[in-house]
Amino acid sequence: MKKNKIGNLYLWLVFIVLYVPIFYLITYSFNSGKYMHGWKGFSLIHYCQLWADTRMIEIVVDTLIIAFLSSVLATIIGTFGALWINFAKSQLTKNILLNFNSILLVSPDVIIGASFLIFFTAIGLSLGFLSVLLSHIAFSIPIVVLMVLPRLQEMPVTLTEAAEDLGANFWQVLNKVTLPYISSGIMAGFFMALTYSLDDFAVTFFVTGNGFSTLSVEIYSRARQGISLEINALSAIMFIVSLILVFIYYFISRNGNRKRTPGLEATK
Amino acid sequence: MTEETVQPLIEFKNVSLDYGETKVLKKVDLEIEEGKFYTLLGPSGSGKSTILSLISGRLQPTGGDILIEGKNVNSLPSNQRKVNTVFQNYALFPNMNVYDNVAFGPSIKGFSKKKIDQLVKSMLKLVKLDDFSDREISEISGGQQQRVAIARALANQPKVLLLDEPLSALDYKLRKEMQSELRELQQRLGITFIFVTHDQEEALAMSDWIFVINDGKVEQSGSPVDIYDEPINHFVANFIGEANIVPGVMKEDYLVSFAGKDFKNVDAGMRTNERVEVVIRPEDLDIVVPSRGKLQVTIEDQSFRGDSYEITAIDDAGNEWAVQATNPAKIGQRRGLKFDPEDIHIMRLNESEEDFDARLESYEGED
C-alpha cells in the first residue's frame, strides 16, 4: 500500500515536471504583456497577431502539407518495404534488410540531415519544398516499416494459404486479406510518420534552403532574436492539435484491438 | 494388372518430396476415386499433411507425378485447382464476418451478387449456421468456426474437400458430433473428402477407405474393416487399435505355432516354417478356466475401463497378453485364454502391400 503511494507520487512528479513548462508557455500566450514574465492580464492579442502574420500562417500550412504528403508516401513505400522484407525467403536477407532499416532509425538526425544536404547539392537539386519533402519521406520510411512488420509477422501463414486455396491471386490476397490484417500497423506507422515529420528540426534545418521553411526551423530562427509571445500562441495551438491526434490514434488502435479480441464483445 | 475402368480423380505416381537431406515423402502411390470418404491416418510427422499440401498445390513434389482427372498438376498453383481445404486452425479471415468469409471464394470467381448470396446462404444452412451470417469471427465458438471453415471451402464447389486434422481442437463430445456430421455431409454432397487425422478411432468411424501413412510411405490401404482385421505389419497392427503381437512360426498352411503350441488358423501362402508375427486383438480373447483354454496364463494386472476390464496376463513362454473382458479377474490366478482360429492373424516380416494382397487373393480364392 505504502509502496503504491510512493509510486503514484513519483508518477505525478514526473508528469508535473514534464508538463509544467508546456502549461507555463500556454498560459503566457494569453498574457497581454510582451514577455514570458510579469503577468499583465488576460488577452488574445498574440493570437490575433499570429493570425495577421501571413508568413507564419504560410509556414504552418507548408509544414502540414509536408507532414501529410511525406507520411502518406512513406506509409505506402514503407508498407511495401515491410511486405518485401517479410516475403524474403532467406533469413539472412531478412536480417540484412532489417538492420539497414534500423540503422536509419538510430543514426543521429544531424548526420542524416548533413548527408541529405551533400546528396542534394551533388545531384543539383535546389533546396526548398521538394528537398524537405524527399528527406522527410526518407526518414519516415524506416518508422513505417518498423510499425508494419510485426503485424505482418504475427499474421498466420495459413490465412494467405487459405485465400490462395479459395482461388485468390497474389493481388487479391494482398488486397482482401493481408492489407486489412495489417491495417492497424499501417495506421500506427502513418501517425508516427506524421508526428516525426511535424516536429523534425535537425534534418529539415539542413535542407530547407532560402525562403522555404517549416515551423520548427522558423521558431528556432525567431527565438534567436528573443521569443515573441506569438510563438507561445502557436505552440498552444500545436499542442492542442497533437493532443487531438493522440486521441484519434488511441481510439483507432482501441477499435482495432477490440475486433481481434474474442470474448470482449460478449462481456460488453 | 486389370484394365482400369474408372479414371481416378486424383493419382499419385511415385511422388517424393525432399527438403534437402530429409525425405518427407518416399515414392508414394495412391489413387483417389470420386465420391468417397478417404482418411490419411498416421502419427505426427508421418507426411500425411504433406500429401494434402501436395494435392492442394501448396507444395510441389520433388519427384514423381500428381494427376488430377488424368492431367499432370505438378506445377499448377493452388488457386487454379478444383480442391479446397479446411485448415487445422480454420484460417478464417478475421477482418470479415461469417457471411463474407463464406462469400470469399465465389466473389473471387466474379459471380453475381445474387448468385453469391444464394450460394452463401445455402452453405450456411448446410452447416446449420443460418442465423450467424452477421457475426464476427471472434464472436463465435470454436465449433462454429469449424463449420464456417467447412462452409467457406464448400462454397467454392470443389470436386475434393481436403480436411487437415479439423477436429483436433474440439473437445471430445463435439468431436464425436462433428464426425458423424462430416460423414453425413459427405454422403449428402457426394463429393470426395480426404481427411487427415492421427486418431485411429476417428479414421475407423468415418472412412470408406483408409491410407495408413508412416515415415513418408503408405504402409497399408484398405477399408476400415480390412485394416483392422488384417493389418499388414507390426506398425499398422499397433497403430490401429490395440493388439497382442507375438513371434511365431508358420508350420504349414493353416497351422501356426506360438507360445510353444500349435494352433489352427485361417492364413496360408507362406513358406514352411516361416518366421512370422501373430496378432490377436484383446477383444477376441476370452478368459476361461485353465482346462478349457487354448493357452494357460497367469493374471498379472487389471484396470477398469468403464465398459470393460483390461487384463494383462502372461503365458508360460513369457508372452504378455492384453485381454478385454467384461468380468474382473484375480491377480495371480491361473486362467486359460480361449480364441477361435479366425481370431489369429498372421503377418509376414517385411511383406509389401502388393505381395500381401496377392497372397490373400491366392488362397482366399481356393475356398
Side-chain angles (χ1 to χ4, degrees), chain A residues 4-26:
Chain A
N4 220 340
K5 259 186 186 164
I6 295 171
N8 273 338
L9 191 71
Y10 174 75
L11 212 64
W12 276 108
L13 266 176
V14 168
F15 273 107
I16 287 169
V17 168
L18 284 176
Y19 277 87
V20 154
I22 295 174
F23 282 114
Y24 182 79
L25 190 128
I26 291 176

Side-chain angles (χ1 to χ4, degrees), chain B residues 19-163:
Chain B
Y19 286 128
E21 290 292 289
T22 354
K23 291 179 167 34
V24 184
L25 284 188
K26 300 166 186 167
K27 301 204 168 179
V28 169
D29 284 303
L30 51 85
E31 283 181 13
I32 304 285
E33 284 169 27
E34 219 165 319
K36 284 191 182 165
F37 198 118
Y38 290 89
T39 297
L40 303 174
L41 174 65
S44 55
S46 58
K48 56 192 192 304
S49 291
T50 308
I51 294 177
L52 223 55
S53 298
L54 285 166
I55 296 173
S56 78
R58 287 193 299 281
L59 290 174
Q60 269 92 46
T62 44
D65 290 308
I66 299 171
L67 306 166
I68 297 182
E69 296 181 302
K71 285 190 208 90
N72 187 310
V73 294
N74 277 8
S75 52
L76 193 71
S78 70
N79 54 16
Q80 287 165 39
R81 298 192 186 192
K82 287 179 197 155
V83 297
N84 287 109
T85 310
V86 176
F87 289 83
Q88 187 171 10
N89 61 3
Y90 318 143
L92 297 172
F93 306 127
N95 56 308
M96 303 177 199
N97 64 16
V98 170
Y99 184 97
D100 290 334
N101 262 282
V102 180
F104 188 87
S107 70
I108 288 283
K109 282 187 181 161
F111 288 172
S112 70
K113 272 236 161 71
K114 206 176 145 201
K115 194 169 174 197
I116 293 172
D117 193 56
Q118 272 176 356
L119 208 54
V120 172
K121 283 193 173 136
S122 70
M123 286 306 144
L124 286 177
K125 200 167 175 192
L126 197 66
V127 296
K128 298 169 192 162
L129 284 178
D130 329 35
D131 301 333
F132 289 76
S133 57
D134 294 332
R135 297 285 194 93
E136 294 298 330
I137 297 305
S138 55
E139 295 169 24
I140 58 175
S141 70
Q144 288 163 342
Q145 290 184 10
Q146 166 78 82
R147 287 160 196 267
V148 176
I150 293 167
R152 183 180 69 175
L154 288 174
N156 249 22
Q157 298 167 305
K159 295 227 160 178
V160 183
L161 185 70
L162 309 175
L163 302 112

Side-chain angles (χ1 to χ4, degrees), chain A residues 206-249:
Chain A
F206 279 94
V207 294
T208 42
N210 282 331
F212 187 79
S213 188
T214 67
L215 208 52
S216 49
V217 174
E218 181 69 13
I219 290 174
Y220 172 75
S221 57
R222 286 190 187 194
R224 283 193 301 187
Q225 300 139 26
I227 290 187
S228 98
L229 292 187
E230 200 183 300
I231 302 286
N232 288 36
L234 184 61
S235 307
I237 294 170
M238 294 290 286
F239 181 74
I240 303 294
V241 169
S242 20
L243 214 61
I244 292 169
L245 278 183
V246 167
F247 272 109
I248 292 174
Y249 175 66

